[in-house]
Amino acid sequence: MTTLLDALNAAVNHHMAGRTGPAADAYRGILAVEPAQPNALHLLGVLRAQAGDAAGAVPLIGRALHAQPAAPSAWGHLGAALRAAERPEGAEPVLQRALALDPANADALDAMGATLHALAIYPAARRWLERAARLRPGHAETLLNLGTVLRDQRRFAEAEACFDAALARNPGLADAHLARAVGRLVRGDLRAGWEGFEHRWQRFATPPWDGRPTGGATILLHMDQGYGDAMQFVRYAPLVAQVAARNGGRVIVETHPLLFRLFAHSLEPAVQVLVRGPEPPPHDIHCPLMSLPRAFATDLASIPAGVPYLAPAPGDMPGRREGLVASKGTDNTGLRVGLVWAGNPRHRNDRNRSIPIAALRPLLSVPGVRFIGLQTGDARADLARLPGDGVEDAVERVRDFADTAAILATIDLLVTVDTAIVHLAGAMGLPSWLLLPHVPDWRWLLDRADSPWYPSLRLFRQPRPGDWTTTLGTVAAVLKAHAAKLARR
């Protein structure tokens, strides 16, 4: 007669052999008989996390700990799942509990380091990861996490050594290729960075285009990242069209519905723009938009930075459509400044790049400025927390990025965190000020106040992790001087 222990052993054997379906079925079978069986709950949660469902793993492992609260490995796996579910604030105390029970739990040490990295606590993150690395030398994931922290501390040579060691152990570890590529890109070594960045995507069945003559082929350019990435790299589409036209070929850009009208107006007729569907349109060769810099062998000296390359359609100008902000020709006085303080909360680095609206008060107190709120998403509700009517909400009837472009065309300056709208404003040539965390996204490079991608952009950087107070104080002072100068004209 099969006992629960026999069933658990069989489930674990399936799990360890990579037979995830039978393992999950076996764990569920055990729980159907004994719903609070801690090992089955714990390991089913681990299986969910390994399948990419960290949020689904959390309640399962939590139930296991309710039944067996002194299990250090379960505490460690719960902390790792919370971190993977983008909940590092909750992961830290859980991992502290795991390490109090078992100070030599390498998985928990690794997860603690990665958690503190997500919270931008870099020195402590490094110390935990170095402890994990001493316990399990050569472990690829630990080396990857340690290298990422070292990279963000600007210890680039040490970071590269970690990534190289991780790839020596596991040559197919895409995240290590990407992490090494980011370190090269942020230092301006673009050509080396583009090569490593190719590990981010899965290829289509059709051949990829690498910049060579097309021989009359139809080239499909497609999104593989976010809206901002698409707007940054669609600048290459006309250049691809020039290559294709020499041999009688043509270019199709397939994009998200929210970008379709903007791209169609700005790129056609040289490039055909289509809304992305369940299947790609007929084509001969293809290239993700973010792979185009590699195809053109782009380095810092050859970035195609001619702007504007995106523009609103004349019929979309807000002064011609009911419900959008009035144009510059009204009687309203003051410098018109668009304001965005938060990005997509689901972005893995959003806690570091977005700003609490209360921190904007020094900026909002600058005289002679009319602030136009261009914030979208849940953070838009933060406007209700501001006293009076200091920021006008301009996005109530915005349908897509073409509408946003029409509003941007009516303002004098955009002040924003690192989110999609900065790419739209930069592509339009609108003067923009970008507020950057201490560890910036790779495209903004290091220690410079300008961007080779967008000539109209000025960068304001945190002097240390989490220090928005100093950054916003600087921005407020510069804005005050700018507004006063305009008022004297």
Side-chain angles (χ1 to χ4, degrees), residues 13-222:
N13 287 334
H14 284 309
H15 193 161
M16 294 180 66
R19 296 186 292 269
T20 57
D25 290 341
Y27 291 138
R28 292 190 191 99
I30 294 167
L31 294 170
V33 176
E34 189 177 333
Q37 212 291 325
N39 293 317
L41 286 167
H42 173 201
L43 294 173
L44 181 59
V46 170
L47 194 66
R48 293 280 288 272
Q50 290 170 340
D53 183 14
V58 169
L60 288 167
I61 304 175
R63 285 170 57 195
L65 284 164
H66 183 74
Q68 197 176 60
S73 62
W75 283 108
H77 288 139
L78 177 59
L82 287 165
R83 179 194 66 82
E86 307 297 339
R87 295 166 59 185
E89 294 88 351
E92 184 180 3
V94 168
L95 291 165
Q96 292 282 10
R97 179 75 176 269
L99 291 166
L101 291 166
D102 180 7
N105 185 331
D107 285 337
L109 289 166
D110 195 318
M112 178 65 85
T115 294
L116 295 178
H117 176 245
L119 295 170
I121 308 173
Y122 302 111
R126 178 183 165 202
R127 288 194 295 272
W128 287 107
L129 288 164
E130 286 174 337
R131 284 181 58 185
R134 287 193 294 270
L135 281 172
R136 51 183 187 189
H139 190 274
E141 289 290 341
T142 297
L143 288 165
L144 167 60
N145 289 332
L146 178 57
T148 303
V149 172
L150 290 165
R151 182 198 69 200
D152 289 349
Q153 289 187 301
R154 303 192 184 187
R155 303 171 73 101
F156 293 110
E158 295 169 74
E160 288 255 345
C162 285
F163 299 141
D164 290 346
L167 290 168
R169 178 61 64 93
N170 183 357
L173 187 58
D175 286 345
H177 286 284
L178 290 170
R180 185 170 62 180
V182 166
R184 293 170 176 178
L185 289 168
V186 78
R187 284 177 285 165
D189 187 3
L190 299 190
R191 291 193 182 183
W194 302 136
E195 293 300 322
F197 228 50
E198 288 299 288
H199 288 267
R200 78 191 182 280
W201 63 284
Q202 299 295 319
R203 296 180 184 274
F204 285 13
T206 51
W209 182 64
D210 60 4
R212 286 178 286 189
T214 63
T218 295
I219 307 175
L220 174 65
L221 308 180
H222 54 94

Side-chain angles (χ1 to χ4, degrees), residues 222-295:
H222 54 94
M223 287 180 62
D224 70 309
Q225 300 287 301
Y227 301 125
D229 301 293
M231 287 186 278
Q232 180 175 3
F233 296 109
V234 81
R235 71 182 68 207
Y236 286 90
L239 303 181
V240 181
Q242 292 175 16
V243 174
R246 296 182 193 129
N247 302 104
R250 67 190 189 101
V251 175
I252 300 171
V253 169
E254 186 187 49
T255 192
H256 191 279
L258 293 179
L259 290 167
F260 170 72
R261 290 198 308 127
L262 175 70
F263 283 4
H265 166 71
S266 301
L267 300 175
E268 291 182 340
V271 174
Q272 182 183 8
V273 180
L274 300 176
V275 173
R276 182 174 59 195
E279 297 294 332
H283 64 283
D284 302 304
I285 51 180
H286 76 102
C287 189
L289 288 172
M290 193 175 272
S291 292
L292 289 171
R294 174 177 176 268

Side-chain angles (χ1 to χ4, degrees), residues 339-342 354-364 373 375 379-387 391 472:
L339 191 61
V340 177
W341 58 91
S354 293
I355 300 175
I357 196 168
L360 298 177
R361 294 184 186 277
L363 186 64
L364 299 178
Q375 182 65 55
R380 183 179 168 217
D382 292 343
L383 284 173
R385 302 179 188 177
L386 295 175
V391 179
L472 286 165

Side-chain angles (χ1 to χ4, degrees), residues 390-448:
V391 179
E392 303 173 42
D393 186 358
V395 299
E396 182 177 356
R397 299 190 184 183
V398 166
R399 301 165 296 171
D400 58 16
F401 282 100
D403 282 343
T404 305
I407 297 175
L408 287 176
T410 73
I411 67 175
D412 303 301
L413 172 69
L414 174 69
V415 178
T416 180
V417 295
D418 186 5
T419 190
I421 197 169
V422 73
H423 296 281
L424 176 55
M428 293 173 60
L430 174 72
S432 304
W433 295 354
L434 176 59
L435 313 179
L436 287 175
H438 182 68
V439 176
D441 187 77
W442 61 264
R443 74 200 73 216
W444 309 123
L445 305 171
L446 299 172
D447 301 327
R448 55 190 291 173

Side-chain angles (χ1 to χ4, degrees), residues 445-469:
L445 305 171
L446 299 172
D447 301 327
R448 55 190 291 173
D450 67 331
S451 168
W453 295 98
Y454 301 115
S456 64
L457 188 59
R458 180 172 179 179
L459 310 181
F460 293 83
R461 301 173 183 268
Q462 282 184 344
R464 59 193 65 85
D467 185 4
W468 286 121
T469 300

